[in-house]
Amino acid sequence: MSRSWVQEAIQRIERDFQRSSDTHLVSVELPAMPQVQLYIKDESTHPTGSLKHRLARSLFLYGLCNGWIREGISIVEASSGSTAVSEAYFARMLGLPFIAVMPRNTSPAKVAQIEFYGGQCHFVDNPAHVYVEAERVAQERNGHYMDQFTYAERATDWRGNNNIAESMFQQMRSERHPVPRWIVVGAGTGGTSATIGRYIRYQGHETQLCVVDPERSVFYDYFHDRDATITNHRSSDIEGIGRPRVEPSFVAGVIDRMIRVPNAASYAGMRFLERLVGRKYGASTGTDFYGAIQLACEMTARGEAGSIVTLACDPGERYLDTYYNDAWLHANGYDIAPYEAQLTRALSKGRWSSEGLCESFAHHASANTPVAVPA
């Protein structure tokens, strides 16, 4: 292995990092809840347009420093899209071939971005097969399988070093409530929630971490039951978060609360947020927003004052053919109107209510019904 090539590769990534500025922390006013301030950390402004840019950079540095990534080697990843886009960016920077193994229903916009950065897309029909197929492709090409689902929680220094948690708290220093009452994130690999949860504890903050989980993801059930064998044969329909199995990087012990969010609520949430801030975001951001508003209403009901920080994970322009397409929603059986009405009531009255939701929707939103099936 050429040590000089590895050192130059690390320097290229570090120089790219130095050319980048931090992402914005956007304040969202909640007039009916004046004692609660909501902030959204806009991760869609990274060079590759998503929160996963941080993860991809960390994974490449981790692989280089471990001696796994070498000159000329093929990089292979199992990804539903955004991680693959970011990894394709860094692979091109280092002159390495990149292959993304992903579900066939991944949004066309993400596929186009991966190909824009020189990556190849290898599709599977069953989302649960991406892991095995990625390993097979890596072995076939004598390449390196990045395996974000195993290494996400350890590739990032959770104690600081300008990680996303440290960035949040630094940006909040001058706010009215500088130490957030809640931080709300989704989980795909679990790396972001692990980093934030560990940082909160390491720094001794009173902040609590809430992870929002979409339909058909097993994380919520694992959080409560600790059964690591639980699986589901279907994808979550929320690209980037929710998994059909318990991922090695998902660290339940650093999470204070989980909320299961119906997919229709996620789609309603991202559209509602667009009307508030004037920007389109993806469905994982809608999931975050929906959970954050629920927590804001609960704080208001208890007479609490404080701040909530959540994430905008990627831009909505990647989903114009799907989540922002009414025909797609109808074809997939999603009715977002009840959730848009729920969010409207919450923002206008400061109350969280299931009024207008049918019984099955309300039950789903209360997150008491497991959706996974034993392996």
Side-chain angles (χ1 to χ4, degrees):
M1 179 178 68
S2 171
R3 184 74 170 267
S4 62
W5 182 88
V6 171
Q7 291 300 320
E8 173 58 22
I10 291 172
Q11 287 304 310
R12 286 185 185 181
I13 293 173
E14 288 299 308
R15 288 195 295 268
D16 180 77
F17 174 67
Q18 292 301 321
R19 292 192 298 268
S20 302
S21 60
D22 202 354
T23 58
H24 298 291
L25 192 66
V26 180
S27 175
V28 180
E29 298 298 327
L30 306 174
M33 295 176 273
Q35 296 305 309
V36 180
Q37 183 62 55
L38 175 63
Y39 300 86
I40 297 178
K41 188 160 177 59
D42 191 352
E43 294 290 288
S44 73
T45 59
H46 282 293
T48 53
S50 83
L51 167 68
K52 299 298 185 179
H53 192 86
R54 295 179 187 268
L55 173 60
R57 181 172 57 223
S58 295
L59 288 171
F60 267 89
L61 291 172
Y62 193 69
L64 286 163
C65 292
N66 281 327
W68 300 338
I69 298 177
R70 306 180 301 277
E71 185 175 7
I73 197 171
S74 293
I75 304 297
V76 182
E77 183 62 284
S79 170
S80 63
S82 287
T83 301
V85 172
S86 298
E87 288 185 359
Y89 170 90
F90 286 105
R92 186 178 75 169
M93 180 186 299
L94 304 184
L96 302 176
F98 177 75
I99 303 98
V101 179
M102 58 178 54
R104 194 171 298 279
N105 64 352
T106 300
S107 71
K110 285 185 180 177
V111 173
Q113 286 190 298
I114 292 165
E115 294 174 345
F116 171 79
Y117 290 121
Q120 302 174 42
C121 297
H122 181 97
F123 299 103
V124 297
D125 293 316
N126 187 335
H129 294 167
V130 293
Y131 317 93
V132 173
E133 185 64 7
E135 287 188 80
R136 186 195 68 77
V137 171
Q139 291 174 0
E140 181 182 85
R141 294 174 176 253
N142 195 27
H144 171 58
Y145 172 33
M146 294 288 269
D147 195 3
Q148 60 168 323
F149 298 106
T150 295
Y151 297 111
E153 58 89 9
R154 66 196 72 172
T156 299
D157 184 354
W158 48 266
R159 291 168 296 184
N161 194 25
N162 198 37
N163 65 33
I164 190 170
E166 184 178 65
S167 176
M168 284 179 179
F169 281 90
Q170 288 291 326
Q171 290 176 311
M172 287 289 294
R173 284 183 302 174
S174 299
E175 299 301 316
R176 183 160 53 113
H177 303 288
V179 176
R181 175 68 177 84
W182 288 98
I183 294 177
V184 182
V185 300
T189 61
T192 299
S193 58
T195 296
I196 294 172
R198 288 166 171 164
Y199 182 86
I200 289 169
R201 284 158 177 74
Y202 182 68
Q203 296 294 332
H205 294 307
E206 294 299 319
T207 304
Q208 290 189 290
L209 175 63
C210 176
V211 171
V212 285
D213 205 33
E215 291 180 35
R216 300 192 293 273
S217 173
V218 303
F219 288 145
Y220 175 88
D221 302 301
Y222 172 68
F223 175 75
H224 289 281
D225 302 334
R226 294 300 199 270
D227 179 4
T229 68
I230 196 166
T231 61
N232 193 322
H233 67 281
R234 297 181 63 188
S235 66
S236 71
D237 270 1
I238 306 295
E239 288 187 27
I241 61 172
R243 299 301 303 166
R245 73 173 193 181
V246 180
E247 302 296 352
S249 283
F250 182 75
V251 183
V254 303
I255 299 167
D256 297 292
R257 178 175 175 181
M258 288 196 69
I259 297 173
R260 177 169 284 148
V261 178
N263 289 352
S266 297
Y267 305 142
M270 69 182 197
R271 293 183 176 207
F272 198 96
L273 182 59
E274 180 190 8
R275 295 195 290 272
L276 288 180
V277 301
R279 293 195 62 180
K280 283 184 167 65
Y281 296 108
S284 57
T285 304
T287 313
D288 290 347
F289 176 71
Y290 185 86
I293 294 302
Q294 178 176 339
L295 292 174
C297 289
E298 292 176 0
M299 288 176 62
T300 299
R302 292 191 296 265
E304 295 179 12
S307 58
I308 299 173
V309 180
T310 190
L311 301 178
C313 305
D314 63 357
E317 285 73 18
R318 294 179 174 180
Y319 309 101
L320 298 180
D321 294 331
T322 53
Y323 308 144
Y324 281 98
N325 185 327
D326 290 340
W328 184 91
L329 292 177
H330 179 75
N332 286 275
Y334 291 115
D335 179 12
I336 68 173
Y339 295 104
E340 288 190 317
Q342 182 186 35
L343 288 169
T344 298
R345 289 193 301 271
L347 269 292
S348 62
K349 299 179 180 179
R351 292 190 298 105
W352 192 251
S353 167
S354 297
E355 176 189 349
L357 301 180
C358 72
E359 183 177 351
S360 61
F361 280 152
H363 191 59
H364 230 38
S366 69
N368 292 321
T369 304
V371 295
V373 295

